Amino acid sequence: MGTIGTIDRVAIQIGSVSIYWYGIIIGLGVFLGLWLAIRESERRGLDKDVFVDLLIYAVPISIISARIYYVIFEWSYYKDHLGDIVKIWNGGIAIHGALIGAVITTIVFAKVKNLSFWKLADIAAPSIILGQAIGRWGNFINQEAYGGEVSRGFLENLFLPDFIINQMYINGAYHHPTFLYESLWNIVGFAILIGLRRVNLRQGELFLTYVIWYSIGRFFVEGLRTDSLMLFDTLRMAQVLSLVLILTGIILIIVRRKLGHSQKKYLDM
C-alpha cells in the first residue's frame, strides 16, 4: 500500500474495536440519501416512514447481492476458498450487484405496500447517486478502485490537493484517482436530477435518467481501472452492463411513452 503520508483506514480505535473511515463514509452517504428521500417523499404525498421501512430491507439485501455479484465473477478464486465467501470484511462487493438487489427489493416492497415502483424510484434517484458520490471516498481511503499508473506530475496538473495525490501512491507508483472521476461525475448527475424535478418529467423517467447518466460515466471510468471484474477474460463486466443499462434506459423511456405507461408526471400526487 501507499507510504507517502497516506491516510489511516482506521478513524477511531477504542480498545480492540476499530471503526473504519470506509464505514463512516458509507454511513454518511446512506444517511444523507435517506434524509433527502424522506423530505421529497413527504412533498410527493407519501408517508414519511416509507423510505425508512424500505431501507430496513434494502440495505442488507443490497449488501448480500453486492457480495454475490462479486463472488460470481471471482469464482475462479472462491471455488477453492468457499470459507472466504462470507468474509465480506476483507473487501469484495460490487455496486452493480447492490443496485440489482435494491431494485428487486423496491419492486417487491412497492407491490406489498400497493405503491408505485416508479414513483419510489424517481424520488430515490438523486439519493442513490449522491450516496454513490460520497461512497467513492471510502474507496479513496482504502486505496482501492484506482486506475492505471500515472506520474505525480500528471496528478499535480489536475490541481489536486496533496492529500489526494499522496493517497494515490499505491504499491510504489501513483495511479489515476478513478474514485474521484466517478464521484465528480455523480455529483454533476445529482445536480442534474435535482434540476429535472422541476421539469416535471413523466413518472419513471427521472430514475431512468439516473440509470443512463451513471452508466455513461461508469463505462468510461471503468476503462481506466485496474481491478475490473471480467467477463470471458476479455470484457470488463461493468462496461458491458453499463452499455446494456444505457440502451435499456433509453428503450424504456421510448416504449413506456408509446404504450401510454407513463401518463402520470413526477409532480403528480
Side-chain angles (χ1 to χ4, degrees):
M1 303 300 286
T3 58
I4 305 178
T6 53
I7 301 170
D8 192 336
R9 292 194 296 176
V10 177
I12 303 171
Q13 187 74 44
I14 305 175
S16 61
V17 178
S18 299
I19 300 176
Y20 290 87
W21 279 113
Y22 185 86
I24 293 173
I25 292 169
I26 295 298
L28 176 63
V30 171
F31 173 79
L32 289 179
L34 177 61
W35 173 76
L36 188 68
I38 289 174
R39 287 189 62 193
E40 186 63 13
S41 65
E42 289 183 289
R43 293 193 186 103
R44 300 281 68 78
L46 294 177
D47 189 285
K48 64 179 181 180
D49 293 329
V50 165
F51 278 93
V52 175
D53 294 341
L54 174 57
L55 211 63
I56 290 173
Y57 300 103
V59 168
I61 291 174
S62 294
I63 293 173
I64 293 170
S65 61
R67 181 60 169 177
I68 291 173
Y69 184 100
Y70 182 86
V71 169
I72 288 173
F73 289 101
E74 291 289 339
W75 186 243
S76 59
Y77 170 81
Y78 286 104
K79 66 182 177 64
D80 298 320
H81 304 84
L82 297 178
D84 288 350
I85 292 177
V86 298
K87 296 180 180 178
I88 196 170
W89 53 87
N90 288 338
I93 59 175
I95 186 63
H96 277 129
L99 292 174
I100 291 170
V103 168
I104 293 173
T105 302
T106 305
I107 290 172
V108 174
F109 180 86
K111 187 173 183 62
V112 171
K113 297 290 186 178
N114 196 29
L115 298 170
S116 165
F117 162 78
W118 292 111
K119 185 170 185 175
L120 293 177
D122 279 346
I123 292 172
S127 296
I128 296 170
I129 202 167
L130 177 63
Q132 289 175 289
I134 294 171
R136 279 304 178 197
W137 287 85
N139 297 134
F140 163 70
I141 298 294
N142 282 356
Q143 294 183 302
E144 59 191 12
Y146 53 82
E149 293 186 15
V150 295
S151 67
R152 183 180 180 92
F154 173 86
L155 297 177
E156 290 174 345
N157 287 336
L158 296 179
F159 302 103
L160 299 177
D162 283 343
F163 80 92
I164 291 181
I165 294 176
N166 292 339
Q167 197 73 359
M168 286 297 99
Y169 187 78
I170 305 165
N171 296 328
Y174 291 98
H175 292 265
H176 272 291
T178 46
F179 87 92
L180 180 62
Y181 303 157
E182 188 172 322
S183 181
L184 292 175
W185 179 265
N186 288 343
I187 289 172
V188 174
F190 170 74
I192 290 172
L193 292 177
I194 292 298
L196 286 177
R197 282 178 170 175
R198 300 180 180 180
V199 175
N200 201 20
L201 296 175
R202 299 189 186 189
Q203 198 170 87
E205 293 181 1
L206 198 68
F207 175 71
L208 293 173
T209 298
Y210 151 72
V211 171
I212 294 168
W213 177 267
Y214 171 70
S215 298
I216 291 172
R218 181 60 186 271
F219 177 85
F220 289 104
V221 172
E222 190 68 25
L224 297 173
R225 285 177 56 169
T226 60
D227 62 342
S228 299
L229 298 175
M230 303 302 292
L231 181 65
F232 306 130
D233 297 324
T234 56
L235 300 173
R236 298 172 189 256
M237 187 58 203
Q239 288 188 312
V240 173
L241 188 53
S242 291
L243 289 176
V244 171
L245 290 173
I246 292 167
L247 291 174
T248 301
I250 294 172
I251 290 171
L252 279 174
I253 290 174
I254 295 172
V255 170
R256 292 182 75 245
R257 284 197 173 208
K258 283 187 175 295
L259 296 180
H261 293 166
S262 56
Q263 294 302 311
K264 283 189 175 182
K265 293 194 173 182
Y266 178 77
L267 295 178
D268 292 345
M269 298 296 285

